[in-house]
Amino acid sequence: MASPKTSEYQPGFIIGHRYEVIRLVRREPYGDVWLVHDQLLDVEVGLKLLPTDTPQLNRYLEYYRAEAAGGLKLNQPQILGVHRL
């Protein structure tokens, strides 16, 4: 999921009419990871948001598409699953 200014999110902010922000988990080179509440499924999930204002956005998206595809092939309790890209 892409976002222009992820630093502006505060607890309670709704992303995509579905995800309620709880808190920032960590900042990564390719985007920020947020703990959010998925209001549709009523569970907490990690949501990685990519900055849309970078000229490298297409490269970031390709990286995460490949990471998600690889993650779908893994089945271990220590590895988080991919629910949506």
Side-chain angles (χ1 to χ4, degrees), residues 1-84:
M1 185 170 275
S3 170
K5 296 179 181 175
T6 61
S7 62
E8 293 181 4
Y9 295 140
Q10 299 294 322
F13 185 82
I14 306 297
I15 300 171
H17 305 287
R18 179 173 178 174
Y19 303 101
E20 180 180 356
V21 171
I22 298 171
R23 67 177 171 83
L24 178 66
V25 174
R26 69 175 173 263
R27 297 203 182 274
E28 295 185 352
Y30 296 114
D32 297 338
V33 179
W34 294 84
L35 178 64
V36 299
H37 180 255
D38 184 330
Q39 296 177 327
L40 180 64
L41 300 176
D42 194 26
V43 295
E44 290 182 356
V45 296
L47 183 67
K48 182 171 284 191
L49 299 172
L50 306 179
T52 58
D53 58 353
T54 178
Q56 301 168 346
L57 178 61
N58 286 336
R59 191 179 82 177
Y60 292 177
L61 289 172
E62 286 304 314
Y63 171 81
Y64 284 110
R65 281 187 191 109
E67 182 180 66
L72 289 171
K73 296 174 185 173
L74 301 174
N75 185 16
Q76 292 187 351
Q78 295 84 12
I79 298 174
L80 295 175
V82 176
H83 297 281
R84 185 175 178 198

